Amino acid sequence: MPRTHSGPEPVPGRTVALVTLGCARNEVDSEELAGRLRAAGWGLVDDAADADVAVVNTCGFVEQAKKDSIDTVLEAADLRADASSRTRAVVAVGCLAERYGRDLAEALPEADAVLGFDSYTDLADHLAGVLHGERPPAHVPRDRRTLLPLAPADRQPGPGPSAPSSLPAPSSPSTVVRARLGSRPWAPLKLASGCDRRCTFCAIPSFRGAFVSRRPDDVLAEAVWLAGQGVREVLLVSENSSSYGKDLGDLRLLESLLPRLAAVDGLDRVRVSYLQPAEVRPGLVDVLASTPKVVPYFDLSFQHSSPSVLRRMRRFGGTAEFLALIERIRALAPTAGIRSNVIVGFPGETDDDVAELERFLTEAMLDVVGVFGYSDEDGTEAAGFAGKLAPDVVSARVTRVGDLVEQLTAERAADRVGEIVQVLVEDLGEDDGDGPVPFGRAAHQGPEVDGATLLPPSLSPGARLRVGDVVTARVVRSEGVDLVAAVEPVPCPDPAG
C-alpha cells in the first residue's frame, strides 16, 4: 500500500492509520488530520492492519491517480476479512472523495464512509460513529469556487468551507494542529489552498475551491514548529504559490515572507513549489535566486510552449517568453534548479506544435520534466473541445517527447559534474554489495520527484553521515538525473588562530 504513517502509542479501540496518496498538499492534509485525531484521543499507527480504522487520503487529479486511490481503498477493505488484521473500518477522504462524493460511495460500497473536506473538522466523531456501525451520508459534490466571494480581497483565510483542508492555523508553535507522520528531514508546509486560474484541462479548482492564502504569521509559526520537530527543509506547497498574498492585499507577500522563513532557527532550506510562469515577477526571481537558505529552485508550470496550444489551455506565454524567464533565472543563479511538467496530445495540437515544444525543451535544458498525455477530465472545458487526438497518437507523442526529455535531463545532470553542491542527507541507504550508499538531495533537486544525489562511502572515506545533515560535496558523475558526489572534507581550524 502507499505511504502509511507512524505516531504515538495507539489507544485501545481507537487507533487509526492514515494512508496518503498524491501530492505534497495531501501529505499536509494527512498531518493536519492526524493532529486533530490525536488531540481527540485517537492513536496513530503505521500499518493499516494494526488500526481499527484505515483512513485513505485519496487523489483525484488524473485517471491513474483515481485508479490507484480506489485500489488502495479496496486493499484496505480486504484487511477486514483477514484474521490477522485489526482493521474494522475503512474511510475514504481527500480529493477523490470530495470530487465524487455520493457517486463514489455508491460505486465503492467497500468503504464504510466517503467523506468530503467539510467533514474534516469532525472527522474524529465520524470515525467513532463508523466503528459503532453508522454509515454517514456522503456529500453531493459542488463547485467549491462558488463558496467564496469572486474578488480575492473579499475573502477571509482560515478554517471553513472556503479552505476545508486548511485547519485553524495558530499564532504560536505550541498550538499547531498537526502531527508529523514519519521522520524525514524535510516537510511540506502549506502556503495557500485553492486556485483562481481557469485552465481548460484542470478540474482542481472546482473541488479544491478558490485561492485562499494563509496569513504569514501562521505559516511562520508552523515553520518554527516543524523545525522543532527536526525538520531541516520546508517545501512551501499550494495549488499556485505565485498567487500568494493577492487576497491579503499584497502581491509581493511571498517575497517578504521567504527571508523570514529562512531566518527560522533550525531550518537550513526553504523551497517553493508550483509557480505559474505568467505570475513570476522579477522581484520574486531575485528573492528566490539570492536569499540565503532559500534554495534557487524554480518549479515552473509551463504545460506547453506553443502559444496556440497554451491559449486553448487558457494559459499565457510561449517559447520566447519562457526562454527569457529561464535566461533571467540563470543570469542570477547559474546552477539553479528548474523543473516543469508538460501535456502533449491536447485537443487540436498539431505536429508543428509538438515541434515547437521540442524546440523549447531543447533550448531550455531543464533539470526535470514530467511528460503527460492529455485525457479528458470530468467537468473541464477541454472535455468538450473538438479536435481530440486518437489515443495512439497521444501515446506516441508522450513517448516521443519523453524520450527527448530523458536525453536532455541526463545531459543537464552531466553538465553538473564538477559542481560543488550542498546535499541534505535523507537516507543512509541500502547495501549494494559494497556497503550502504547514503543519499540525499542537492539544492536543485526537489523532494521525491527530481532525482537524488548519491554519496558512496568509497568516494568519501571517513565521512560520518547522519540523516538530516547538510554536507558539502563535489559531483563526480551523473546517472540519468541522479548525481554521484564525494563529500568534501571539513577543514580543520587553524591552530594559530
Side-chain angles (χ1 to χ4, degrees), residues 57-300:
N57 189 356
T58 61
C59 178
F61 181 42
V62 293
E63 285 304 315
Q64 187 58 51
K66 298 174 193 175
K67 182 181 183 300
D68 291 344
S69 293
I70 291 172
D71 288 346
T72 302
V73 172
L74 293 174
E75 186 178 343
D78 286 343
L79 293 174
R80 289 177 304 202
D82 186 339
S84 64
S85 168
R86 177 173 175 159
T87 308
R88 296 158 54 196
V90 178
V91 174
V93 299
C95 292
L96 191 69
E98 173 63 34
R99 186 173 180 184
Y100 293 103
R102 188 169 59 188
D103 289 344
L104 180 64
E106 292 173 354
L108 197 62
E110 293 84 357
D112 297 284
V114 173
L115 302 176
F117 295 152
D118 289 336
S119 299
Y120 282 15
T121 302
D122 303 317
L123 185 62
D125 292 337
H126 287 300
L127 298 191
V130 167
L131 284 179
H132 286 89
E134 299 174 10
R135 198 173 180 98
H139 69 289
V140 177
R142 53 184 169 171
D143 188 335
R144 299 192 71 85
R145 292 171 295 189
T146 64
L147 302 180
L148 285 172
L150 183 62
D154 293 334
R155 301 171 192 164
Q156 292 297 318
S162 61
S165 58
S166 294
L167 305 184
S171 57
S172 67
S174 61
T175 54
V176 169
V177 183
R178 180 171 176 176
R180 288 224 66 204
L181 300 174
S183 57
R184 298 176 309 194
W186 69 275
L189 174 57
K190 188 176 294 182
L191 191 64
S193 296
C195 183
D196 285 343
R197 301 186 71 88
R198 295 296 183 267
C199 301
T200 57
F201 58 84
C202 185
I204 289 175
S206 66
F207 59 85
R208 275 290 188 181
F211 187 87
V212 180
S213 302
R214 292 184 68 192
R215 295 192 180 279
D217 286 348
D218 296 335
V219 177
L220 281 163
E222 192 163 328
V224 170
W225 180 83
L226 287 168
Q229 301 292 309
V231 169
R232 306 294 297 276
E233 175 182 320
V234 291
L235 171 68
L236 300 181
V237 297
S238 72
E239 280 72 26
N240 179 11
S241 298
S242 42
S243 279
Y244 181 69
K246 70 176 185 180
D247 50 326
L248 300 179
D250 185 357
L251 273 172
R252 300 189 60 179
L253 195 57
L254 182 56
E255 296 159 39
S256 60
L257 174 62
L258 287 171
R260 297 175 68 191
L261 286 168
V264 170
D265 287 342
L267 291 184
D268 289 295
R269 285 181 177 172
V270 178
R271 186 183 301 272
V272 182
S273 70
Y274 214 79
L275 302 168
Q276 290 289 344
E279 298 181 11
V280 176
R281 302 164 298 279
L284 180 57
V285 173
D286 292 345
V287 170
L288 288 170
S290 62
T291 305
K293 294 190 179 181
V294 175
V295 293
Y297 176 80
F298 295 80
D299 179 10
L300 297 165

Side-chain angles (χ1 to χ4, degrees), residues 302-323 341-361 397:
F302 290 124
Q303 303 299 351
H304 212 284
S305 74
S306 166
S308 60
V309 173
L310 288 166
R311 300 308 173 268
R312 288 196 294 278
M313 290 179 169
R314 200 173 291 128
R315 297 175 67 85
F316 303 96
T319 297
E321 293 87 350
F322 296 164
L323 290 176
N341 296 315
V342 297
I343 298 172
V344 296
F346 193 77
E349 182 189 63
T350 65
D351 286 335
D352 286 344
D353 292 326
V354 179
E356 179 72 4
L357 175 60
E358 290 174 325
R359 181 174 77 87
F360 164 68
L361 293 171
R397 290 182 178 181

